Amino acid sequence: MYKSFLIKYAEIGVKGKNRYLFEDRLCDQIRYALTRCEGKFDVVKSQGRIFVNACADFDYDEAVENLKTVFGITGICPVVHVEDEGFEKLCQDVIGYIDQAYSDKNFTFKVDARRARKNYPKNSMEINCDIGEVLLDAFPDMRVDVHKPDVMLHIEIREKIYIYSIVIPGPGGLPVGTNGKGMLLLSGGIDSPVAGYMISKRGVKLDAVYFNAPPYTSERATQKVIDLARIVAKYSGPIHLHIINFTDIQLYIYDQCPHDELTIIMRRYMMRIAEELAGKNGCLGLITGESIGQVASQTMQSLMATNDVCTMPVYRPLIGFDKQEIVEISEKLHTYETSIQPYEDCCTIFVAKHPVTKPNLNVIRIHERNLDEKIDELVRTALETDEVIEIVYR
Ligand code: ATP
Ligand code: MG
């Protein structure tokens, strides 16, 4: 029945002079998401509207599924286009539309006509009333409710006439690419993929970095991170995933520094390396899955100690979330099942029984001096052996 979708977008509608940039970006992202579907589509901007028109046969569910991954879309409306061949014909078209779209006609409705073309012989109020009457006659089970209708039937009179009543919610947010790029510190855990999703939803393109520690962490742990990145890439678009071998740095810290400070010092080196990679790759900030108080390394004191080494902004979209709230998002994203696979991460090896929960920044800085002899070289080597994988969701 449907060959076209009307795309609704909210926030990008209010960007003033830049509006067309956002719309163009949204069209690009829609085109990209639809490359994953069978069939060919035209994505067109027309009079402040975006339409996705199928050029040939397509799979409706597959198209909707993929459109639901495009940030910036608030509603996906399957729409029927009809030619203007007089009001009688329009009434027949609307009856045909309702008949096909709703097998059960026991619902309340309201007609919402918009006459963008002012030379149409009836005004909006007249169209609302007349179509309403025609539908009541055709389908005795339908009832009018102008306040809270089950079905809002939209009829837009433009060059052609558009009929739609179904609005499938989109993910909201802003089109990826309208807000620069960020470097996501992606571990195999529950939190960081959610953090990446949330920042990407604000229009930010993502790169990612994963620190592994072979042979203490397995191939499977790295694969898990690749799998998670692929799920995030469904929404964010392609991600360059940097894999950094952290083993020697970690062993060196373990040798030279107090064990209860290991995690904090390790996190400081992760941030330093991530920032270096971010700068080299045109990223404007770091993104982590930290949340206040979740673990010893995420108390306010620990976050201060970690943040101390960064000059770039660090975005922590989960900072005020409870674990359960994060889990709920990860379940919706379908990263959860992958995140809970039991492969060891470099944060969990050599970990102290009683890590400091209130690290003193000055003490940490002093203990880090124990690393002066070799750390610069180890960091350089880690950066030089950076392995980059292009992650694309297909
Ligand atoms: P997550 O569920 O995201 O792993 P977590 O609750 O396990 O988070 P930590 O392990 O303390 O918390 O990590 C805090 C944040 O540091 C992570 O959300 C992630 O952004 C980053 N991080 C931790 N370990 C790594 C790693 N091995 N590689 C890349 N980033 C990491
Ligand atoms: Mg973790």
Side-chain angles (χ1 to χ4, degrees):
M1 167 177 187
Y2 299 108
K3 294 191 182 62
S4 178
F5 297 95
L6 167 63
I7 301 298
K8 300 236 168 185
Y9 48 94
E11 230 174 310
I12 66 172
V14 299
K15 298 285 176 189
K17 275 191 311 206
N18 290 329
R19 177 175 168 147
Y20 80 96
L21 291 174
F22 285 82
E23 288 171 340
D24 288 350
R25 210 57 213 135
L26 181 57
C27 288
D28 290 345
Q29 295 303 103
I30 291 172
R31 286 187 193 102
Y32 178 73
L34 291 171
T35 58
R36 301 194 288 256
C37 299
E38 289 289 324
K40 209 177 154 297
F41 299 87
D42 263 342
V43 180
V44 288
K45 276 206 307 190
S46 147
Q47 302 168 36
R49 298 272 185 194
I50 293 175
F51 288 99
V52 172
N53 300 323
C55 307
D57 281 350
F58 73 108
D59 181 331
Y60 175 88
D61 293 331
E62 183 188 50
V64 169
E65 252 347 280
N66 282 289
L67 288 170
K68 278 183 177 175
T69 67
V70 180
F71 291 135
I73 295 181
T74 56
I76 302 156
C77 311
V79 58
V80 168
H81 299 218
V82 298
E83 298 295 336
D84 177 12
E85 293 164 347
F87 192 69
E88 282 297 306
K89 173 68 171 33
L90 176 60
C91 292
Q92 290 313 309
D93 288 332
V94 173
I95 289 174
Y97 168 82
I98 293 287
D99 204 24
Q100 283 201 48
Y102 301 93
S103 51
D104 178 2
K105 311 288 188 296
N106 185 11
F107 56 78
T108 61
F109 76 103
K110 175 183 177 177
V111 183
D112 177 35
R114 273 181 62 174
R115 191 177 57 143
R117 181 155 59 76
K118 296 297 175 205
N119 66 0
Y120 196 76
K122 286 179 192 276
N123 68 28
S124 306
M125 272 312 281
E126 290 166 338
I127 302 170
N128 289 344
C129 292
D130 294 353
I131 299 264
E133 239 169 72
V134 163
L135 286 173
L136 288 171
D137 280 347
F139 304 111
D141 285 350
M142 285 172 62
R143 282 150 294 130
V144 171
D145 180 344
V146 292
H147 301 294
K148 273 190 153 185
D150 299 326
V151 171
M152 181 72 89
L153 175 64
H154 300 273
I155 299 178
E156 285 195 18
I157 315 278
R158 295 176 183 265
E159 277 310 298
K160 287 190 174 187
I161 300 174
Y162 305 118
I163 306 168
Y164 68 95
S165 60
I166 295 167
V167 185
I168 303 159
L174 297 169
V176 171
T178 54
N179 241 322
K181 187 161 71 167
M183 179 64 73
L184 170 66
L185 282 88
L186 182 62
S187 71
I190 294 170
D191 306 329
S192 43
V194 173
Y197 169 85
M198 288 178 69
I199 294 294
S200 176
K201 186 172 174 185
R202 300 308 303 161
V204 176
K205 213 174 140 26
L206 298 181
D207 273 352
V209 53
Y210 168 59
F211 297 91
N212 66 2
Y216 303 97
T217 62
S218 65
E219 274 293 315
R220 218 31 216 95
T222 302
Q223 186 57 44
K224 176 179 166 184
V225 173
I226 293 172
D227 294 344
L228 287 170
R230 188 167 289 132
I231 302 174
V232 176
K234 181 172 173 183
Y235 301 89
S236 70
I239 297 174
H240 287 114
L241 173 65
H242 299 261
I243 297 181
I244 298 284
N245 185 325
F246 205 55
T247 314
D248 291 343
I249 295 173
Q250 208 169 344
L251 289 173
Y252 189 50
I253 300 171
Y254 190 75
D255 272 351
Q256 303 294 322
C257 301
H259 290 178
D260 61 346
E261 289 169 3
L262 176 70
T263 306
I264 293 293
I265 295 176
M266 221 173 76
R267 307 261 320 120
R268 283 163 62 91
Y269 277 95
M270 282 188 188
M271 297 305 260
R272 287 181 173 110
I273 293 174
E275 182 163 311
E276 176 96 23
L277 279 175
K280 275 192 201 154
N281 290 281
C283 296
L284 303 173
L286 304 178
I287 304 158
T288 76
E290 289 159 315
S291 151
I292 292 177
Q294 200 188 79
V295 287
S297 59
Q298 294 175 33
T299 61
M300 293 279 275
Q301 291 85 349
S302 297
L303 288 167
M304 184 177 165
T306 310
N307 206 71
D308 172 60
V309 300
C310 303
T311 54
M312 271 190 190
V314 181
Y315 297 103
R316 301 178 172 94
L318 307 181
I319 200 72
F321 280 44
D322 291 346
K323 193 73 188 187
Q324 189 50 38
E325 293 169 316
I326 302 169
V327 165
E328 276 163 27
I329 304 174
S330 77
E331 284 172 340
K332 275 197 212 126
L333 290 181
H334 299 293
T335 48
Y336 184 74
E337 300 87 321
T338 305
S339 290
I340 58 172
Q341 290 171 9
Y343 302 108
E344 280 223 288
D345 175 47
C346 69
C347 290
T348 49
I349 54 172
F350 313 124
V351 82
K353 270 212 189 73
H354 300 289
V356 282
T357 53
K358 295 191 172 94
N360 178 314
L361 188 51
N362 290 324
V363 175
I364 297 280
R365 284 181 183 154
I366 290 166
H367 289 155
E368 254 182 22
R369 285 200 209 126
N370 299 352
L371 304 170
D372 279 352
E373 193 188 326
K374 286 208 251 164
I375 195 72
D376 288 348
E377 195 193 320
L378 292 177
V379 167
R380 201 174 335 113
T381 309
L383 281 163
E384 277 165 13
T385 52
D386 171 20
E387 184 195 342
V388 189
I389 304 178
E390 158 114 351
I391 307 283
V392 181
Y393 178 78
R394 284 266 168 255

